[in-house]
Amino acid sequence: MRAHPLFDLITQRLHGGRNLVVLTGAGISAESGIPTFRGDDGFWTRGSRNYRPEELATWATFVAEPEVVWPWYLWRLACCRGSQPNAGHRALVAMDSLLQDQFLLVTQNVDGLHSRAGSPENRTFHIHGNLERMRCADACSTRTWAVPAALRTFSKGDSIQPDDAPHLRCPTCGGWARPHVLWFDECYDERWFRFDSTMRAAAAAEVLVIVGGSGSTNLPIQMATNALNTGALVVELNVAESGFTPYAEASDGGLVTGPSGTTLPQLLAALRESMALHGG
Ligand SMILES: [Zn+2]
C-alpha cells in the first residue's frame, strides 16, 4: 500500500539521524475505551455532596479532603487497568525500538497504557503524571512509587477503609501520599513533569507528530509553537481537526485523518520501509 504523502515527508525529514517527537493525547486512550473522566464521566458522590472532576483534580480539594480525592483516583485507576493498549500504543513501542535515541514519546495521558504496552520509561515523558504512581504529598523526597499491589480495586462510590489507609501513606515520613498527576491548580515543572526537558526535545525535533490531542492545554501548545519556530515538520494524526491543526498546517505538514490505531501502524510501516532502504 502506498504511504500517505505526509508519512513519506516524515521519513525524508528523519534521514541522517534526526529526531522524532510524538505527543499523544486523549484520543489514543479513547480508542482503548478509556473515558475522559470529565463531566458526567467523572462525576463523584460522597454522602449528600456531588463533586465535579474539575474540583476533585485539585491540590486545594486534596488538602481539604484527601479521603474524598483518593477513592476517585483509585476508581479511575481501576477503570484504566480494565482497558488494554491498542494497535496505536504498540506501534509507538515499535517506533521506539526502531529509532531508539532518535525517538521520544511525550504523553498527556495518565492511564499508563504506553508503559503497559512496553514504551520504555527513559524515552516516555508523562507530562501530566501517571495514575499508576504516587508520591509524598509533602514532597519529603523527589521519588515516586507504584500504587501498592496490596491496595484493593476500587469501584465507583467506594470510600477508604481502615485496611486501605496504610497503603496511602508516604513510606518515608508517614504523611499522606498523593496521586502523581498534575492538578488544575498546579504548574508544570521539571522535577515531576520534565517540563524543561520536554521543551528542549520539542525545540530539537526535526519532526513533531501530534496524536489524538485537543490542543487545549498549555504545554502541548507550547511544544507545537517551539517545534514550529525551529522549522520542524508538524504532522497531526487525529479523527478531526483540533487546536493543533493550524500549527501542522503552518509547517509543511498537516492533518492525517483517522483513528490512531490505524494511522500509527501506517506511519510505522513507512518508517520501517525507509530505514530498510536508506538505513538509520
Ligand atoms: Zn513523605
Side-chain angles (χ1 to χ4, degrees), residues 136-141 170 172-176:
C136 177
D138 288 332
C140 79
S141 78
C170 167
T172 307
C173 73
W176 278 101

Side-chain angles (χ1 to χ4, degrees), residues 3-279:
H4 191 287
L6 281 174
F7 293 168
D8 286 336
L9 192 54
I10 290 173
T11 62
Q12 285 164 24
R13 294 280 293 256
L14 292 177
H15 286 169
R18 297 206 172 87
N19 293 349
L20 169 64
V21 174
V22 176
L23 168 68
T24 63
I28 190 168
S29 297
E31 289 175 36
S32 283
I34 292 181
T36 61
F37 301 101
R38 303 278 174 93
D40 289 348
D41 276 348
F43 204 67
W44 192 254
T45 304
R46 167 131 167 152
S48 59
R49 243 201 100 180
N50 292 316
Y51 291 84
R52 288 174 296 109
E54 296 74 12
E55 188 178 8
L56 289 163
T58 62
W59 170 247
T61 305
F62 180 80
V63 166
E65 299 176 291
E67 70 288 349
V68 174
V69 172
W70 258 123
W72 184 66
Y73 274 99
L74 293 170
W75 163 68
R76 288 181 54 182
L77 176 63
C79 292
C80 293
R81 283 178 173 172
S83 297
Q84 301 306 322
N86 62 52
H89 295 102
R90 290 191 292 275
L92 289 168
V93 178
M95 265 179 228
D96 179 278
S97 301
L98 191 68
L99 297 171
Q100 304 201 17
D101 289 341
Q102 261 184 280
F103 183 83
L104 178 70
L105 174 59
V106 178
T107 185
Q108 297 173 260
N109 301 331
V110 298
D111 49 54
L113 284 182
H114 286 301
S115 302
R116 276 171 57 202
S119 285
E121 289 308 305
N122 62 329
R123 286 193 293 263
T124 306
F125 291 177
H126 293 87
I127 54 170
H128 291 165
N130 186 343
L131 292 177
E132 295 279 0
R133 302 196 71 78
M134 49 173 76
R135 65 180 205 249
C136 177
D138 288 332
C140 79
S141 78
T142 56
R143 78 185 191 96
T144 68
W145 62 91
V147 170
L151 199 54
R152 69 193 167 91
T153 300
F154 275 61
S155 302
K156 190 154 194 178
D158 271 0
S159 46
I160 295 172
Q161 301 300 317
D163 283 354
D164 306 322
H167 302 302
L168 301 175
R169 293 275 156 189
C170 167
T172 307
C173 73
W176 278 101
R178 57 164 284 175
H180 177 47
V181 294
L182 180 71
W183 280 327
F184 287 115
D185 53 354
E186 294 180 317
C187 297
Y188 290 108
D189 61 19
E190 174 66 16
R191 178 171 60 161
W192 300 117
F193 301 108
R194 319 275 323 241
F195 176 85
D196 301 321
S197 302
T198 302
M199 285 303 145
R200 273 198 301 275
E206 180 70 13
V207 179
L208 173 65
V209 172
I210 300 172
V211 184
S214 64
S216 63
T217 44
N218 182 317
L219 185 144
I221 286 289
Q222 282 187 52
M223 277 180 74
T225 306
N226 277 9
L228 199 57
N229 288 344
T230 53
L233 175 69
V234 181
V235 173
E236 180 184 20
L237 311 184
N238 217 334
V239 289
E241 286 192 7
S242 78
F244 289 119
T245 313
Y247 294 90
E249 287 174 348
S251 79
D252 293 330
L255 170 67
V256 178
T257 309
S260 53
T262 303
T263 54
L264 280 170
Q266 287 169 352
L267 172 57
L268 171 65
L271 289 167
R272 278 185 169 146
E273 191 177 328
S274 164
M275 288 187 73
L277 283 175
H278 305 283

